[in-house]
Amino acid sequence: MVTIGDVARAAGVSRSTASYALSGKRAISAEVRQRVNDAVLRLGYTPNAGARALATSQTMVIGLLAQFLEDEFAPAMLEYMLGVSDTARELGYDTLLVTDSDGAKALRRITDSRMVDGLVLLNVAQDDVRLPVLRAAPQPGALVGLPGDCSGLDVFDLDFEEAGRMMVDHMHRLGHRELILVSQPEHVVQRGGAYVWRLQDAALQQARLRGVTLHAVYGESRQPAVGRSMNALLDAYPSATGLLLNNEAAAAALPTVLHDRGLTVPHDLSVIGRYSDEFARVFSLPYSSIESAPDRLGRMAVRQLVRRIESEAGRAEPYVVRFVAPELVDRQSTAAPRT
Amino acid sequence: MVTIGDVARAAGVSRSTASYALSGKRAISAEVRQRVNDAVLRLGYTPNAGARALATSQTMVIGLLAQFLEDEFAPAMLEYMLGVSDTARELGYDTLLVTDSDGAKALRRITDSRMVDGLVLLNVAQDDVRLPVLRAAPQPGALVGLPGDCSGLDVFDLDFEEAGRMMVDHMHRLGHRELILVSQPEHVVQRGGAYVWRLQDAALQQARLRGVTLHAVYGESRQPAVGRSMNALLDAYPSATGLLLNNEAAAAALPTVLHDRGLTVPHDLSVIGRYSDEFARVFSLPYSSIESAPDRLGRMAVRQLVRRIESEAGRAEPYVVRFVAPELVDRQSTAAPRT
DNA sequence: GACAATCGTCGAACCGGTTCGCAGATCTGA
DNA sequence: TCAGATCTGCGAACCGGTTCGACGATTGTC
């Protein structure tokens, strides 16, 4: 293994001089700098990450805590992960992926041992057990997902309230007066998936405001149960003319269900979902949807995190809670209700 | 930050004694060991990962190189990643996730800086540019996916040849005499996705052997192209009675296509895919399939990698190339052809 | 009872970087 | 011409662990 000592010797200077020549933190004559750089190339020198971390107490690694929970839709999580990883790399950081089922314990391990300079938490719940650990850690943290208590942390999430209102308003404008909203399974809500009722409550309120009937139900999380329950739902509310989906599994199952019932979209039924464009492509879903922008959220979280890591001023800045405004991607799956 | 020096002082011993008490690498009196352990708990001591890495030249981190290529099915990759990450954690290692588009460069960065003790490469191509870098690295590496040259590396993959033969034989036994095989897009093959032609060639050969007509075609990678091409295919070979799918996007698109054509499985058409059980669940695919076992492959790769990392003997052991035997998961989507 | 082996602990060196203080050489201006 | 400022480079200390060699105290053996 080639060390900075080897480089220094090859260049005929001291270790400290070699270090300064490479970091540029002190003035070094052009000639010496050249000799050092030559030696680096000739010997193929790369600084040892552990040694550098020890000396600078900076690892240039951020921790990514992803949790794959029962009833959660795993492929959706991947998009957040890639957003985080790619953005981190652009900013010079590597990503330590943590998928332990016991997130709090894993988080403590990572932070206490100083393996990372900062943390991004995905899939944050209303009362997330990881948050106390994160607040107590010396490293800054950024969340994707809105918890009940945001203090001491930067938080990024889709504006689910606005998403709920948009769905209802869009349908109302087209003339719909009776809608069904399929949310994630109740299990997810009980576990603290706050985004579910954030969207649902806002949708219900907006429906009242507009004089629209809204049947809000919890869906299932996987086949074949989700298909059956969608069928039951359409049977239960035969006069509903619009379907709102805040449930990936339900969206994925819908094409088959509608086909079986001989219904076409938007002629017989108008549909709006809430998922990413990438998701729509992969699952070939032909429904208009509120873009959930996982890549953007991951990117925003990392950007803010790195700002906080790198500037001593950043540490003191007030914490932000930032909502991404929902956008409706029109895939022609809504129209005026059949008279 | 609390260091081992703080622990030693609190326990009234030297730093080295504290270290030995914790590692157990030398005999320490029960009483001193107790005092040290108490101090650790009281102060909340956790070893600094960077310092330990520097001293032991072991980071307890493995690198996971995943590449998300155009036309590749991202959700499938996630299963491999989780298999690797979870297994690594069980064995005491953390996972550094690398998703750089320039895999070779990223690999060099990770290995040269000694950030990881070993590497797992996913999605390995026939002539993968990352392999020369990996072979030159001081850390051992394990591959998921079979390259042209396996020297100096441990390799794990599904036995795609056997998978191709199984598909054909299964259909042949049921009485089918004309089949269609839909592979990944040609683009994937040209990029070095060897598994595509490994399965295809074996299937073609077995078909010849059994006297079965096999139409082998490259599919598309995404909607709506893949749906259209599947339709065109069924038009082109109207007398084919069985469909073999080595293409996730095609499998995901098939239910809608068949529904539109009014075909039911297995009455009008027999279908076998090649994807994981998890994939089948998420996409609610009702077709029998060759289980591609991504979690198992990830697990095997990490196990072997850690063995090589941890035993000096392991380093010298002969390298292995291990194929997972394909298993057919019966989902009742095949039957005798309609007469 | 003398001597060797074993046990338990300590001090010091080392891993490979970074950074602070210092000093010799060169430059500046009065 | 000389004091003071500037420019370059060096040596040493430090980051927080691990590990080797040494040494006094205890135990075992003949």
Side-chain angles (χ1 to χ4, degrees):
Chain A
M1 148 138 225
V2 32
T3 76
I4 201 172
D6 300 329
V7 171
R9 196 169 327 112
V13 299
S14 72
R15 292 200 307 153
S16 57
T17 301
S19 177
Y20 283 124
L22 292 174
S23 71
K25 293 190 179 173
R26 275 199 187 176
I28 293 289
S29 68
E31 191 235 328
V32 166
R33 192 168 36 229
Q34 188 59 48
R35 289 214 309 270
V36 171
N37 284 331
D38 288 351
V40 165
L41 290 178
R42 196 164 64 251
L43 302 178
Y45 166 73
T46 308
N48 179 300
R52 176 170 280 178
L54 181 56
T56 63
S57 41
Q58 282 231 16
T59 63
M60 300 308 283
V61 174
I62 68 167
L64 171 57
L65 268 89
Q67 39 188 5
F68 293 85
L69 299 169
E70 182 78 27
D71 285 334
E72 211 85 38
F73 208 77
M77 183 77 80
L78 179 60
E79 300 180 56
Y80 292 93
M81 291 168 53
L82 292 179
V84 168
S85 167
D86 289 345
T87 308
R89 194 77 274 289
E90 283 170 25
L91 299 177
Y93 288 77
D94 278 294
T95 301
L96 195 76
L97 174 65
V98 179
T99 57
D100 286 39
S101 57
D102 187 344
K105 196 170 124 201
L107 181 52
R108 199 189 319 271
R109 181 168 49 79
I110 300 294
T111 54
D112 285 359
S113 65
R114 299 296 203 281
M115 297 183 78
V116 298
D117 294 339
L119 284 305
V120 175
L121 269 58
L122 298 184
N123 209 353
V124 174
Q126 171 72 8
D127 190 23
D128 202 302
V129 293
R130 300 173 296 178
L131 299 191
V133 180
L134 184 54
R135 290 202 184 87
Q139 298 96 337
L143 312 184
V144 176
L146 177 70
D149 174 8
C150 294
S151 62
L153 298 164
D154 294 309
V155 180
F156 301 87
D157 204 357
L158 182 68
D159 187 340
F160 281 92
E161 274 98 354
E162 182 59 26
R165 287 189 292 267
M166 271 179 78
M167 286 174 151
V168 170
D169 272 353
H170 182 89
M171 291 292 202
H172 176 256
R173 264 197 305 274
L174 289 170
H176 295 265
R177 292 300 176 262
E178 183 175 354
L179 305 171
I180 305 174
L181 167 61
V182 181
S183 296
Q184 300 283 19
E186 195 164 6
H187 186 202
V188 171
V189 179
Q190 287 169 346
R191 197 203 288 131
Y195 70 97
V196 177
W197 49 256
R198 279 199 282 145
L199 187 148
Q200 182 174 299
D201 287 0
L204 283 167
Q205 190 178 346
Q206 195 73 356
R208 266 197 305 278
L209 192 70
R210 300 294 189 218
V212 170
T213 302
L214 179 64
H215 307 289
V217 299
Y218 298 112
E220 300 282 337
S221 66
R222 52 178 48 187
Q223 282 284 21
V226 62
R228 276 199 301 267
S229 76
M230 296 294 285
N231 259 310
L233 215 51
L234 294 171
D235 288 337
Y237 304 111
S239 53
T241 57
L243 198 51
L244 311 179
L245 302 173
N246 186 22
N247 179 322
E248 286 96 342
L254 191 59
T256 308
V257 170
L258 295 184
H259 213 290
D260 286 348
R261 301 175 72 97
L263 298 177
T264 63
V265 167
H267 182 251
D268 303 309
L269 190 70
S270 286
V271 178
I272 303 182
R274 196 274 315 151
Y275 41 74
S276 73
D277 190 51
E278 173 69 17
F279 185 87
R281 238 193 341 260
V282 168
F283 286 77
S284 41
L285 296 182
Y287 313 123
S288 300
S289 69
I290 304 280
E291 169 65 41
S292 57
D295 45 352
R296 251 179 83 201
L297 282 165
R299 170 166 300 272
M300 289 168 72
V302 173
R303 282 248 169 82
Q304 175 70 9
L305 183 63
V306 168
R307 185 172 323 142
R308 231 172 248 290
I309 291 171
E310 298 195 339
S311 89
E312 58 310 331
R315 299 255 172 184
E317 271 176 24
Y319 294 99
V320 306
V321 178
R322 201 155 289 156
F323 293 105
V324 168
E327 285 177 32
L328 185 66
V329 179
D330 188 359
R331 297 195 185 85
Q332 315 287 329
S333 67
T334 61
R338 205 163 46 159
T339 50
Chain B
M1 149 141 223
V2 33
T3 75
I4 201 172
D6 300 330
V7 170
R9 196 168 328 110
V13 298
S14 72
R15 292 202 305 152
S16 56
T17 300
S19 177
Y20 283 124
L22 291 174
S23 71
K25 292 191 180 173
R26 276 199 186 176
I28 293 289
S29 68
E31 191 237 328
V32 166
R33 192 167 36 230
Q34 189 57 49
R35 289 214 310 269
V36 171
N37 284 331
D38 288 351
V40 165
L41 291 178
R42 198 165 62 249
L43 302 178
Y45 165 74
T46 309
N48 180 299
R52 176 171 279 177
L54 181 55
T56 63
S57 42
Q58 283 232 15
T59 62
M60 300 309 283
V61 174
I62 68 168
L64 171 57
L65 269 90
Q67 36 188 6
F68 292 84
L69 299 168
E70 182 80 28
D71 285 335
E72 211 86 37
F73 207 79
M77 184 76 79
L78 179 60
E79 301 181 53
Y80 292 94
M81 291 169 53
L82 292 180
V84 168
S85 168
D86 289 344
T87 308
R89 194 75 274 290
E90 284 169 25
L91 299 177
Y93 287 77
D94 278 294
T95 302
L96 196 76
L97 174 65
V98 179
T99 57
D100 286 41
S101 58
D102 187 344
K105 196 170 125 201
L107 182 52
R108 200 189 318 272
R109 180 168 49 80
I110 299 294
T111 54
D112 284 1
S113 65
R114 300 296 203 280
M115 298 183 78
V116 297
D117 294 338
L119 285 304
V120 174
L121 269 59
L122 298 184
N123 210 353
V124 174
Q126 172 71 10
D127 191 24
D128 201 302
V129 292
R130 300 173 297 178
L131 298 191
V133 180
L134 184 54
R135 290 203 184 87
Q139 298 96 337
L143 312 183
V144 176
L146 176 71
D149 174 7
C150 294
S151 62
L153 299 164
D154 294 309
V155 180
F156 301 87
D157 204 357
L158 182 69
D159 187 340
F160 281 92
E161 274 97 354
E162 182 59 25
R165 285 189 292 266
M166 269 179 78
M167 286 173 151
V168 170
D169 272 353
H170 183 89
M171 291 293 203
H172 175 257
R173 264 197 304 274
L174 289 169
H176 295 265
R177 293 299 177 264
E178 183 174 354
L179 306 171
I180 306 174
L181 166 61
V182 181
S183 296
Q184 300 283 19
E186 193 163 10
H187 185 203
V188 172
V189 179
Q190 286 168 348
R191 196 204 289 133
Y195 71 97
V196 178
W197 49 257
R198 278 199 283 144
L199 188 149
Q200 182 174 301
D201 286 1
L204 283 167
Q205 192 179 340
Q206 195 73 355
R208 267 195 306 277
L209 192 68
R210 300 293 188 217
V212 170
T213 302
L214 178 65
H215 307 289
V217 301
Y218 298 112
E220 300 283 338
S221 65
R222 54 177 49 186
Q223 283 283 21
V226 61
R228 278 199 301 268
S229 76
M230 295 294 286
N231 259 309
L233 215 50
L234 293 172
D235 288 337
Y237 305 111
S239 52
T241 57
L243 196 52
L244 311 180
L245 303 173
N246 185 23
N247 179 322
E248 286 96 342
L254 191 59
T256 308
V257 170
L258 294 185
H259 214 289
D260 287 347
R261 300 176 72 98
L263 298 178
T264 62
V265 166
H267 182 250
D268 303 309
L269 189 69
S270 288
V271 178
I272 303 182
R274 196 274 314 150
Y275 42 74
S276 73
D277 189 52
E278 173 70 16
F279 185 87
R281 238 196 339 263
V282 168
F283 285 77
S284 41
L285 295 183
Y287 312 123
S288 301
S289 70
I290 303 281
E291 168 65 43
S292 57
D295 44 353
R296 250 178 83 199
L297 283 165
R299 171 167 299 272
M300 289 168 72
V302 173
R303 283 249 169 82
Q304 174 70 7
L305 183 63
V306 168
R307 184 172 324 143
R308 233 173 246 290
I309 290 171
E310 298 195 340
S311 88
E312 59 308 332
R315 300 254 171 185
E317 271 175 25
Y319 293 99
V320 307
V321 177
R322 200 156 289 157
F323 293 105
V324 168
E327 285 175 33
L328 184 65
V329 179
D330 188 358
R331 296 194 186 83
Q332 315 287 330
S333 68
T334 60
R338 204 164 46 161
T339 50

